[in-house]
Amino acid sequence: MPLRTALTEMLGIEHPIIQGGMQYVGYAEMASAVSNAGGLGILTALTQPSPEALRAEIHRCRTMTDKPFGVNLTILPALIPADYDSYARVVAEEKVALVELAAGSPKRYTPMWKAAGVKVLHKSATMRHALKAQEAGVDIIEIVGYEGSIAGGQPGDEVGAWVLLAKATSTLRVPVVAAGASGTGRQLAAALAMGAQGVTMATRFLCTVEAPIDMKIKECMARPEVDERQTTIVLGTLSNATRVFKNGVAEEIRQIERQGDVDFSQVMPLASGGRTKKMWQETGDTQDAMWSCSQSLGVISDIPTCKELLRRMVAEAEERLNHGAKCIINSKL
C-alpha cells in the first residue's frame, strides 16, 4: 500500500522519497528514473554549465517523465562562482515541482519561486539554519544529520540525525524531511514515526542501475567491506565540512588541513569538481577523486533499479510501522 504523507500530497508523488542533488550525477537520466519510480527526482542546477543549459535539461527531463521533479541549487559562491540569480530565475520560469536549496539563505529567491508555484525545500544541517529558513517562508525543511554527505558545516555542528530530527519535528511548524544516510525502509519508517513526512536520499541512488556513473563505482559501493566506516570529513578548516569517501585523495586533503592556516587554493587540485566528474563519467576510479557520500554506505549491498529500490523500501517501512503499532497495548481490553 502507498504511504500517504504531507510530502506526497504536496508534491503529487506516490512515495515520500526525494532524490537529493548530486553534482555531475543529477542529470535527466537520474531524475526521471526516480520520478518514474514514484519518488521525486532532482536535477542538479550547477551540473549544467549555464542557466540556459539547465533550462534545456529541464525540457529534456520532461521528455523522459510526465511525473513531478525538482531542481537542486547549491549556493557556494566562494567555491563555485556562478550566475545564481539566473539559475534561480530559470527554476521559477520553468515551474518545476520543487527546488532543493542548499548552503545559501532562502530569503533572496523564495518569494519569486513561490509566486511561480514552485515548492521551496531548504536543506538545513543545524536547527539555527532550519529556524531561519522557516522564517523566510520555505515550504519544507530537510534536516540533514552529520552522517550525511553534508557540505558547509562548522565546528560544533557535528550532530546526528537521531537528535536533529527529534528536535526539528517537535519544534518546526513546516513539514520536515529526514536526510543523512537514509537508504532502507526501516529508516523511512523511523523517520515517519518521529514525525517527518519523508526522506531524502542521495548516496543510495548512486548505487542504482539508472545512476549515470561508471559501473565500477557502483560495484565498489556494494562490496561488503565498503561500509559505514568508509567515509571521512574534509574541508572543515575552510568552514565547508564535507563527508566524502575515505581514500588517498581525502587523506591528502586532511594532511594539508592539519598544517593549519589553509587556503582553498592548496586543496583545489585534489577537491576539483572536474576531477570528480572524470571519475563519475570516465575512469570509475574511486581512489582518484574526492567524492561526497554518506554513511549509508553501510546499508548498501546491491545495485537495484530505482523502481525496485523504492518498492522494497516502502514495503519494509509499512511492515515496520505495522510492527510498531502492535507494541501499543489497549488498556481497555
Side-chain angles (χ1 to χ4, degrees), residues 265-277:
S265 63
Q266 295 174 259
V267 298
M268 174 65 85
L270 299 166
S272 162
R275 185 170 182 163
T276 306
K277 182 180 181 180

Side-chain angles (χ1 to χ4, degrees), residues 18-321:
I18 298 173
Q19 167 239 315
M22 294 178 280
Q23 185 73 335
Y24 300 123
V25 179
Y27 295 99
E29 289 81 2
M30 183 83 266
S32 63
V34 175
S35 291
N36 286 333
L40 186 83
I42 296 282
L43 298 172
T44 303
L46 298 185
T47 287
Q48 300 302 323
S50 70
E52 287 307 308
L54 171 61
R55 191 190 305 276
E57 191 72 358
I58 291 171
H59 292 176
R60 191 166 77 93
C61 195
R62 285 180 173 145
T63 69
M64 302 168 74
T65 184
D66 59 359
K67 307 292 185 183
F69 63 89
V71 171
N72 165 278
L73 182 59
T74 298
I75 300 177
L76 291 169
L79 301 181
I80 308 176
D83 185 357
Y84 291 101
D85 288 354
S86 294
Y87 278 104
R89 188 177 64 252
V90 167
V91 169
E93 290 172 351
E94 292 299 325
K95 300 182 186 297
V96 296
L98 174 141
V99 59
E100 179 192 44
L101 181 67
S105 168
K107 286 185 178 180
R108 184 180 182 91
Y109 303 122
T110 292
M112 174 180 66
W113 286 330
K114 296 190 77 165
V118 178
K119 298 299 182 184
V120 182
L121 177 153
H122 188 265
K123 185 174 185 177
S124 302
T126 68
M127 281 302 300
R128 67 179 183 276
H129 291 128
L131 289 166
K132 288 179 181 179
Q134 178 177 259
E135 186 65 24
V138 305
D139 299 289
I140 308 167
I141 301 290
E142 180 181 292
I143 288 291
V144 189
Y146 196 61
E147 308 94 326
S149 53
I150 55 168
Q154 300 175 9
D157 290 343
E158 303 89 351
V159 182
W162 194 245
V163 170
L164 276 180
L165 187 57
K167 193 168 184 178
T169 52
S170 63
T171 303
L172 299 174
R173 299 185 305 273
V174 299
V176 172
V177 172
S182 296
T184 69
R186 290 175 181 270
Q187 291 166 300
L188 173 57
L192 295 178
M194 289 178 72
Q197 302 303 313
V199 299
T200 295
M201 309 189 307
T203 302
R204 187 60 189 93
F205 279 119
L206 285 175
C207 205
T208 58
V209 170
E210 297 94 338
I213 64 174
D214 192 284
M215 180 58 74
K216 292 191 292 294
I217 302 168
K218 303 177 191 183
E219 292 170 345
C220 168
M221 294 174 69
R223 291 203 299 263
E225 64 270 24
V226 177
D227 60 16
E228 63 275 10
R229 298 168 297 175
Q230 294 303 119
T231 70
T232 190
I233 302 292
V234 298
L235 307 183
T237 58
L238 298 170
S239 296
N240 188 42
T242 304
R243 186 174 297 280
V244 300
F245 188 71
K246 188 186 293 184
N247 59 18
V249 174
E251 180 53 33
E252 193 170 345
I253 293 173
R254 287 172 61 84
Q255 287 177 1
I256 293 171
E257 291 189 85
R258 282 193 283 268
Q259 297 171 12
D261 194 25
V262 179
D263 182 86
F264 188 72
S265 63
Q266 295 174 259
V267 298
M268 174 65 85
L270 299 166
S272 162
R275 185 170 182 163
T276 306
K277 182 180 181 180
K278 183 176 180 180
M279 179 204 71
W280 290 137
Q281 301 178 5
E282 298 178 31
T283 69
D285 186 351
T286 59
Q287 300 300 314
D288 192 42
M290 186 194 90
W291 53 286
S292 296
C293 62
S294 75
Q295 290 178 339
S296 64
L297 284 175
V299 296
I300 295 173
S301 60
D302 64 350
I303 309 171
T305 64
C306 290
K307 184 175 182 179
E308 171 59 21
L309 174 62
L310 268 60
R311 184 204 64 76
R312 77 185 187 202
M313 279 186 65
V314 169
E316 183 180 41
E318 181 181 354
E319 190 274 331
R320 289 290 92 198
L321 290 169

